[in-house]
Amino acid sequence: MHQVTFAEAEYKLKRRITRREKFLSQMNTLIPWQRLEAQIAPCYPRGKRGRQPYPLSVMLRIHCMQLFYNLSDPAMEDALYEIESMRNFAGLTLSGPIPDETTILNFRHLLESNQLSTTLFGEINKHLAENGMVLREGTIVDATIISAPTSTKNKKKKRDPEMHQTKKGNQWHFGMKMHIGTDDTLGLIHSLDTTAANQHDITATGKLLHGKEKRVWGDSGYTGAEKREELKSKAVEWLIAEKRSRLKYRPCRTELRKVEKIKAQIRAKVEHPFRYIKNIFGYGKVRYRGLEKNTQRLFLLAGFTNLLIGKKYLLT
């Protein structure tokens, strides 16, 4: 039996439920843990020889918290020692062993090397589909820039070779682009791709379509998408926003202006996932060098974003 420590006993007597506790309780309810663990289990060490591994459920919950709060491996270890609500979420106690930063790192590398984040993202979307949140007939495509460090204070004295700079408005940005395809009804992410920041938004369009949509919505950056070689065979209606250079000469009350307003109202749904990923989960800057590691992290963040967007359906 687990012996309750003085710190745990005092924590249970507190009167106020913190925002962190509310958020972790909500995510604990939303995430389909058993389905995700079933996908990781074949790759997870069984402990037949040598040191016994921590339970898979513990390591998965720690990894999820690391993504929730955008923590490094050492910071995640410190948080487990310092914050009781995070230990409770992971099923750990101060009287028992706590995973160190190397163990946390190894679990993350296990997911990355087997590209399990992509699999878990698909599993979360299946869970949502089984609860009535199926993909509709329209897809909204968009992209956002995620900044990367421009510092050259490393062994090679160079910036990340997989990241590039691009100009947006009058400002230069260095980093990568996250491209997503979302459902035009619920705003759930169904497709994700990443490129260097200097790649045009339109280049990833073919990877953002699930193949069953009848309509594709996009901003003016996707003008001419239907003429691209890989998209010519797509039997969809392209509802792309008109360029400002053509719109500004139109009278305010013309039919074209009204149509463009409707397009903008529908396309607004694609901005909500970006808000969750950048502001709620704090991933406005890349955590690792290279595209692959950051892409794997973004797939899981996209899955968590879908759960939060669909929570009103899941919790009822």
Side-chain angles (χ1 to χ4, degrees):
M1 292 179 64
H2 164 58
Q3 185 176 359
V4 179
T5 64
F6 287 111
E8 293 168 349
E10 288 182 352
Y11 183 81
K12 291 179 180 179
L13 294 175
K14 70 180 179 60
R15 297 181 180 180
R16 182 175 176 273
I17 299 176
T18 63
R19 284 179 293 178
R20 179 183 283 111
E21 287 178 298
K22 291 178 182 177
F23 177 74
L24 291 177
S25 176
Q26 183 183 75
M27 295 307 294
N28 185 44
T29 305
L30 291 174
I31 296 175
W33 297 108
Q34 292 183 349
R35 299 183 68 143
L36 302 190
E37 290 172 20
Q39 297 297 322
I40 304 172
C43 304
Y44 196 68
R46 300 180 182 179
K48 292 183 177 180
R49 295 181 181 179
R51 182 182 175 185
Q52 290 296 309
Y54 285 90
L56 174 56
S57 59
V58 171
M59 295 309 303
L60 177 58
R61 285 169 178 269
I62 291 173
H63 183 70
C64 288
M65 285 192 291
Q66 192 176 10
L67 269 62
F68 295 160
Y69 300 106
N70 197 21
L71 299 174
S72 64
D73 301 322
M76 187 66 243
E77 181 187 358
D78 291 345
L80 290 174
Y81 277 100
E82 294 171 356
I83 304 172
E84 180 68 27
S85 59
M86 297 182 85
R87 286 197 299 273
N88 288 341
F89 184 82
L92 298 169
T93 62
L94 283 176
S95 59
I98 302 287
D100 59 9
E101 62 178 276
T102 304
T103 305
I104 296 170
L105 169 72
N106 290 338
F107 184 79
R108 176 166 58 80
H109 283 176
L110 174 73
L111 298 184
E112 291 169 355
S113 61
N114 292 281
Q115 296 186 334
L116 287 169
S117 296
T118 310
T119 306
L120 300 183
F121 170 69
E123 201 63 30
I124 289 173
N125 280 354
K126 288 179 183 177
H127 171 66
L128 292 169
E130 289 173 6
N131 283 273
M133 284 164 277
V134 295
L135 299 177
R136 308 295 176 178
E137 296 179 350
T139 290
I140 313 171
V141 293
D142 204 357
T144 187
I145 299 171
I146 300 179
S147 301
T150 57
S151 174
T152 57
K153 294 179 180 179
N154 51 57
K155 291 181 179 179
K156 295 184 179 180
K157 304 296 181 183
K158 293 182 180 179
R159 297 190 298 185
D160 189 342
E162 295 186 26
M163 306 289 174
H164 291 277
Q165 64 181 14
T166 186
K167 192 175 184 181
K168 186 176 181 181
N170 293 321
Q171 188 173 357
W172 286 93
H173 300 270
F174 179 77
M176 62 181 284
K177 271 186 182 178
M178 176 177 66
H179 308 261
I180 61 171
T182 65
D183 179 67
D184 66 351
T185 304
L186 299 173
L188 300 176
I189 303 172
H190 59 71
S191 307
L192 187 150
D193 191 36
T194 57
T195 62
N198 63 341
Q199 294 291 318
H200 197 281
D201 296 358
I202 203 171
T203 58
T205 309
K207 298 179 181 179
L208 304 180
L209 307 181
H210 56 70
K212 297 181 180 179
E213 57 268 301
K214 296 181 180 179
R215 300 177 298 275
V216 178
W217 310 79
D219 59 29
S220 57
Y222 294 90
T223 302
E226 68 280 4
K227 298 177 183 178
R228 292 182 65 85
E229 194 63 36
E230 69 273 19
L231 298 173
K232 283 182 179 179
S233 60
K234 299 287 184 182
V236 298
E237 183 181 4
W238 295 92
L239 300 166
I240 308 301
E242 196 71 53
K243 290 185 177 181
R244 279 192 178 186
S245 58
R246 297 182 63 180
L247 261 186
K248 66 181 180 180
Y249 297 110
R250 301 274 185 172
C252 294
R253 296 186 177 180
T254 59
E255 289 299 320
L256 179 61
R257 286 272 187 174
K258 293 178 182 178
V259 170
E260 290 304 311
K261 184 177 180 180
I262 295 171
K263 287 181 184 178
Q265 289 172 339
I266 294 173
R267 285 190 295 104
K269 291 186 180 74
V270 79
E271 301 296 338
H272 298 176
F274 292 146
R275 172 184 168 269
Y276 279 101
I277 291 172
K278 286 189 166 185
N279 297 340
I280 304 299
F281 297 124
Y283 210 66
K285 291 185 177 181
V286 300
R287 169 61 69 178
Y288 315 111
R289 288 176 67 86
L291 287 175
E292 183 59 32
K293 287 186 177 182
N294 290 293
T295 302
Q296 289 298 309
R297 190 180 184 101
L298 286 170
F299 267 110
L300 262 183
L301 290 178
F304 298 151
T305 296
N306 284 351
L307 290 171
L308 289 173
I309 292 174
K311 68 181 178 181
K312 62 182 178 181
Y313 303 102
L314 291 172
L315 297 180
T316 55

Short mmCIF file of all heavy atoms in Angstrom, two decimals, residues 218 240-243 247 254-267:
data_model
loop_
_atom_site.label_atom_id
_atom_site.label_comp_id
_atom_site.label_asym_id
_atom_site.label_seq_id
_atom_site.Cartn_x
_atom_site.Cartn_y
_atom_site.Cartn_z
N GLY A 218 -9.48 28.69 -48.93
CA GLY A 218 -8.13 29.16 -48.66
C GLY A 218 -8.03 30.66 -48.85
O GLY A 218 -8.89 31.28 -49.50
N ILE A 240 -11.31 30.21 -53.13
CA ILE A 240 -10.12 30.94 -52.70
C ILE A 240 -10.44 32.42 -52.61
O ILE A 240 -11.14 32.98 -53.48
CB ILE A 240 -8.96 30.70 -53.68
CG1 ILE A 240 -8.74 29.19 -53.91
CG2 ILE A 240 -7.68 31.36 -53.18
CD1 ILE A 240 -8.42 28.41 -52.65
N ALA A 241 -9.94 33.07 -51.58
CA ALA A 241 -10.20 34.50 -51.38
C ALA A 241 -9.58 35.33 -52.50
O ALA A 241 -8.51 35.00 -53.01
CB ALA A 241 -9.64 34.95 -50.03
N GLU A 242 -10.27 36.38 -52.87
CA GLU A 242 -9.77 37.28 -53.90
C GLU A 242 -8.61 38.11 -53.35
O GLU A 242 -8.55 38.42 -52.16
CB GLU A 242 -10.89 38.23 -54.33
CG GLU A 242 -10.65 38.94 -55.64
CD GLU A 242 -10.73 38.01 -56.83
OE1 GLU A 242 -11.74 37.30 -56.98
OE2 GLU A 242 -9.76 37.98 -57.61
N LYS A 243 -7.67 38.44 -54.20
CA LYS A 243 -6.53 39.25 -53.77
C LYS A 243 -6.97 40.67 -53.47
O LYS A 243 -7.85 41.22 -54.11
CB LYS A 243 -5.45 39.25 -54.85
CG LYS A 243 -4.75 37.92 -55.00
CD LYS A 243 -3.60 38.01 -55.99
CE LYS A 243 -2.85 36.67 -56.08
NZ LYS A 243 -1.72 36.74 -57.03
N LEU A 247 -9.64 43.56 -54.99
CA LEU A 247 -10.83 43.90 -54.21
C LEU A 247 -10.94 45.39 -53.89
O LEU A 247 -12.03 45.94 -53.80
CB LEU A 247 -10.82 43.13 -52.89
CG LEU A 247 -11.67 41.86 -52.80
CD1 LEU A 247 -11.64 41.33 -51.38
CD2 LEU A 247 -13.11 42.12 -53.23
N THR A 254 -21.00 45.57 -53.45
CA THR A 254 -21.17 44.67 -54.60
C THR A 254 -21.33 43.23 -54.12
O THR A 254 -21.01 42.88 -52.98
CB THR A 254 -19.95 44.75 -55.53
OG1 THR A 254 -18.78 44.38 -54.79
CG2 THR A 254 -19.78 46.14 -56.09
N GLU A 255 -21.83 42.37 -55.00
CA GLU A 255 -22.03 40.96 -54.68
C GLU A 255 -20.70 40.28 -54.37
O GLU A 255 -20.62 39.41 -53.51
CB GLU A 255 -22.73 40.25 -55.85
CG GLU A 255 -24.18 40.63 -56.04
CD GLU A 255 -25.02 40.27 -54.83
OE1 GLU A 255 -24.79 39.19 -54.25
OE2 GLU A 255 -25.89 41.07 -54.45
N LEU A 256 -19.64 40.68 -55.08
CA LEU A 256 -18.32 40.09 -54.85
C LEU A 256 -17.85 40.35 -53.42
O LEU A 256 -17.30 39.46 -52.77
CB LEU A 256 -17.31 40.65 -55.85
CG LEU A 256 -15.87 40.14 -55.70
CD1 LEU A 256 -15.83 38.63 -55.91
CD2 LEU A 256 -14.94 40.82 -56.69
N ARG A 257 -18.09 41.55 -52.92
CA ARG A 257 -17.71 41.88 -51.54
C ARG A 257 -18.47 40.99 -50.54
O ARG A 257 -17.91 40.52 -49.56
CB ARG A 257 -18.04 43.35 -51.25
CG ARG A 257 -17.08 44.33 -51.90
CD ARG A 257 -15.90 44.59 -51.01
NE ARG A 257 -15.06 45.64 -51.54
CZ ARG A 257 -14.02 46.15 -50.88
NH1 ARG A 257 -13.72 45.68 -49.69
NH2 ARG A 257 -13.28 47.08 -51.41
N LYS A 258 -19.75 40.76 -50.80
CA LYS A 258 -20.55 39.92 -49.90
C LYS A 258 -20.04 38.47 -49.91
O LYS A 258 -19.98 37.82 -48.87
CB LYS A 258 -22.01 39.97 -50.33
CG LYS A 258 -22.66 41.33 -50.14
CD LYS A 258 -24.11 41.31 -50.63
CE LYS A 258 -24.75 42.69 -50.49
NZ LYS A 258 -26.14 42.71 -51.00
N VAL A 259 -19.70 37.99 -51.11
CA VAL A 259 -19.18 36.63 -51.23
C VAL A 259 -17.85 36.49 -50.48
O VAL A 259 -17.62 35.50 -49.78
CB VAL A 259 -19.00 36.24 -52.71
CG1 VAL A 259 -18.23 34.93 -52.84
CG2 VAL A 259 -20.36 36.13 -53.39
N GLU A 260 -16.99 37.50 -50.61
CA GLU A 260 -15.69 37.46 -49.94
C GLU A 260 -15.85 37.49 -48.42
O GLU A 260 -15.07 36.88 -47.69
CB GLU A 260 -14.82 38.63 -50.40
CG GLU A 260 -14.34 38.51 -51.84
CD GLU A 260 -13.59 37.22 -52.09
OE1 GLU A 260 -12.68 36.89 -51.31
OE2 GLU A 260 -13.90 36.54 -53.08
N LYS A 261 -16.87 38.19 -47.94
CA LYS A 261 -17.12 38.23 -46.50
C LYS A 261 -17.54 36.86 -45.99
O LYS A 261 -17.10 36.41 -44.92
CB LYS A 261 -18.21 39.26 -46.19
CG LYS A 261 -18.46 39.44 -44.70
CD LYS A 261 -19.49 40.52 -44.42
CE LYS A 261 -19.71 40.65 -42.91
NZ LYS A 261 -20.72 41.71 -42.60
N ILE A 262 -18.38 36.16 -46.75
CA ILE A 262 -18.80 34.81 -46.36
C ILE A 262 -17.59 33.86 -46.35
O ILE A 262 -17.44 33.05 -45.43
CB ILE A 262 -19.89 34.29 -47.32
CG1 ILE A 262 -21.15 35.13 -47.18
CG2 ILE A 262 -20.19 32.82 -47.06
CD1 ILE A 262 -22.20 34.84 -48.24
N LYS A 263 -16.73 33.98 -47.36
CA LYS A 263 -15.53 33.15 -47.41
C LYS A 263 -14.66 33.38 -46.18
O LYS A 263 -14.15 32.44 -45.56
CB LYS A 263 -14.71 33.48 -48.67
CG LYS A 263 -15.29 32.98 -49.97
CD LYS A 263 -14.36 33.35 -51.12
CE LYS A 263 -14.90 32.98 -52.47
NZ LYS A 263 -14.00 33.39 -53.57
N ALA A 264 -14.49 34.66 -45.81
CA ALA A 264 -13.65 35.00 -44.66
C ALA A 264 -14.23 34.45 -43.36
O ALA A 264 -13.48 33.99 -42.48
CB ALA A 264 -13.49 36.52 -44.56
N GLN A 265 -15.56 34.48 -43.22
CA GLN A 265 -16.20 33.96 -42.01
C GLN A 265 -15.99 32.46 -41.86
O GLN A 265 -15.79 31.96 -40.75
CB GLN A 265 -17.69 34.29 -42.04
CG GLN A 265 -17.99 35.77 -41.85
CD GLN A 265 -19.46 36.10 -42.09
OE1 GLN A 265 -20.19 35.35 -42.75
NE2 GLN A 265 -19.91 37.23 -41.56
N ILE A 266 -16.02 31.74 -42.97
CA ILE A 266 -15.80 30.29 -42.92
C ILE A 266 -14.33 29.98 -42.68
O ILE A 266 -13.98 29.11 -41.89
CB ILE A 266 -16.31 29.63 -44.22
CG1 ILE A 266 -17.83 29.77 -44.30
CG2 ILE A 266 -15.90 28.15 -44.28
CD1 ILE A 266 -18.43 29.30 -45.60
N ARG A 267 -13.44 30.73 -43.36
CA ARG A 267 -12.00 30.48 -43.19
C ARG A 267 -11.50 30.81 -41.79
O ARG A 267 -10.44 30.35 -41.39
CB ARG A 267 -11.21 31.30 -44.22
CG ARG A 267 -11.25 30.75 -45.62
CD ARG A 267 -10.26 31.44 -46.54
NE ARG A 267 -10.58 32.84 -46.74
CZ ARG A 267 -9.93 33.85 -46.16
NH1 ARG A 267 -8.92 33.60 -45.34
NH2 ARG A 267 -10.28 35.10 -46.40
#
